[in-house]
Amino acid sequence: MNTRQYNYLLTIADCKGILAASEKLGITQAALSKFLAEQERLLGVKLFVRYKRHMYPTPAGELYLEAARKILAVKNSTLQTVNRLTHGAGTPIRIASTPYRGAELFGRVFRRFSALYPTVDLSLDEIYSSAQEEEIHRGNTDFAFGVNLHASYRNVKNLPVCREELLLAVPAFHPLAPLARKDCLVSVSIQSFRNTPFVLPGKKNNIRIVADRLFEAAGFAPVIAFESGNGMTVDVMIRQGAGAGFIPRRYLKPEPELVHFRLDPPCFEISYIRYEAERVLTAPERCLLGILVEERLKTRSHELIPGPEIDSFLEELS
């Protein structure tokens, strides 16, 4: 089942250009350009248009690419089924990630990974970050992806991947609100909000763990106006001006009820890949971790934390 042309076209779409796609595919730019021109000649339509140094699918291209994704999905599913019938179901690579965001991230990772390793199964367990190290320690999962460092077990490696800044959202009527600016984020010390009521998530929540460490380092206990284990409720209460609260930078947007500040020094939520420290990673596992890092970095507010191991995963993937 030769599906090379579909993979080539999807890579051009993902990379938004011939040069980047040719480098990712390991072929020359001239060969890929010739391939695209031949495909468009055979189909009788333009599949891509160029705009501001990038390439974007035409309406006909979008239809063709969607069909290509379905064809590749059927191919991968067929190969997995044939492999199970021939060799029996293998042991899947077990991944643990946080609920909600983790499931969405896993969906993107699964699609890319199964295209490269259609006979290797993945399974997902939804486990909060605070419990991930113990699950690795007990051998209940192979890899975990979550935030905040607990360092509870020596046999568990916590590999920092990226960080996202936490901002302080403050009601527009707060005495310090006039210091905020629309053109840039003003930095303030958490000490300035010693007597400010806060809206906080429950104590097991990742942002709450970071916030509690911040308050402890500043030497005061916050005035808690509202607390809930439901993240959506906390978000609504912050936006209703019930108190100050912490939000990830990716959720920053102009709102009349709120002003936003950076903290001085900046406060970050750090994401980690976790696995058993003595584990010798296989080629599929290294590929999986590289995809995981790439997909996480597609959220612009996430900043890569460089390191030799993370760099090697990304280099091997590319």
Side-chain angles (χ1 to χ4, degrees):
M1 189 184 297
N2 188 351
T3 56
R4 183 190 64 174
Q5 69 270 29
Y6 305 127
N7 185 42
Y8 281 12
L9 292 172
L10 287 169
T11 303
I12 293 172
D14 288 341
C15 295
K16 296 184 179 180
I18 294 290
L19 177 59
S22 65
E23 292 174 350
K24 189 169 185 177
L25 292 166
I27 61 177
T28 66
Q29 183 178 358
L32 190 58
S33 295
K34 183 178 179 181
F35 159 79
L36 176 59
E38 179 63 13
Q39 291 296 306
E40 292 179 329
R41 185 188 68 79
L42 292 173
L43 293 169
V45 294
K46 293 287 290 183
L47 297 176
F48 293 91
V49 293
R50 187 176 296 277
Y51 178 71
K52 290 186 177 180
R53 303 179 67 180
H54 290 296
M55 295 177 67
Y56 299 94
T58 63
E62 288 283 9
L63 289 173
Y64 194 84
L65 291 172
E66 181 59 28
R69 293 186 186 97
K70 292 178 180 178
I71 291 169
L72 289 176
V74 170
K75 174 187 175 181
N76 293 334
S77 177
T78 302
L79 287 174
Q80 289 173 344
T81 302
V82 171
N83 184 66
R84 292 190 188 98
L85 290 173
T86 306
H87 305 291
T91 302
I93 299 175
R94 300 166 299 173
I95 304 175
S97 189
T98 55
Y100 312 117
R101 281 190 291 164
E104 189 272 333
L105 175 64
F106 179 81
R108 303 199 308 266
V109 171
F110 180 86
R111 179 181 65 82
R112 289 183 58 188
F113 180 81
S114 62
L116 296 171
Y117 289 94
T119 61
V120 180
D121 288 340
L122 302 178
S123 68
L124 174 66
D125 291 319
E126 294 188 346
I127 302 173
Y128 286 102
S129 294
S130 57
Q132 289 178 356
E133 292 179 46
E134 182 175 357
E135 293 301 298
I136 296 287
H137 170 72
R138 295 181 179 277
N140 294 332
T141 193
D142 299 314
F143 300 94
F145 190 77
V147 299
N148 297 334
L149 180 62
H150 303 279
S152 305
Y153 300 96
R154 291 183 179 180
N155 69 321
V156 177
K157 173 175 284 191
N158 286 277
L159 197 60
V161 175
C162 58
R163 66 181 189 176
E164 181 178 24
E165 188 171 8
L166 292 181
L167 305 177
L168 190 62
V170 179
F173 55 79
H174 190 278
L176 294 180
L179 297 177
R181 295 173 54 181
K182 293 183 178 180
D183 57 337
C184 67
L185 287 167
V186 174
S187 296
V188 294
S189 169
I190 192 65
Q191 291 281 3
S192 303
F193 299 88
R194 178 183 288 268
N195 298 316
T196 296
F198 276 84
V199 174
L200 297 173
K203 288 186 176 294
K204 292 185 178 181
N205 182 278
N206 297 319
I207 291 179
R208 176 62 179 274
I209 292 171
V210 175
D212 283 347
R213 291 173 181 171
L214 187 66
F215 293 132
E216 183 180 0
F220 72 91
V223 177
I224 300 178
F226 181 82
E227 180 177 2
S228 174
N230 187 312
M232 293 182 64
T233 302
V234 171
D235 182 71
V236 170
M237 293 298 287
I238 291 174
R239 296 181 190 283
Q240 290 297 318
F246 299 92
I247 64 167
R249 187 158 189 154
R250 64 182 175 277
Y251 295 135
L252 175 65
K253 61 180 181 180
E255 297 176 275
E257 299 86 0
L258 297 175
V259 297
H260 299 90
F261 293 100
R262 297 187 70 191
L263 289 168
D264 182 18
C267 180
F268 295 95
E269 189 176 56
I270 299 177
S271 296
Y272 295 87
I273 288 174
R274 300 181 166 108
Y275 54 93
E276 205 275 321
E278 301 299 322
R279 187 184 188 98
V280 178
L281 300 179
T282 64
E285 290 171 348
R286 295 179 66 82
C287 173
L288 173 66
L289 297 183
I291 293 174
L292 188 59
V293 174
E294 277 196 348
E295 290 297 328
R296 174 56 80 194
L297 292 175
K298 286 183 178 179
T299 303
R300 292 184 179 180
S301 58
H302 285 103
E303 176 188 352
L304 179 68
I305 300 175
E309 290 164 299
I310 296 297
D311 292 345
S312 71
F313 296 154
L314 295 173
E315 288 171 5
E316 190 166 318
L317 181 63
S318 65

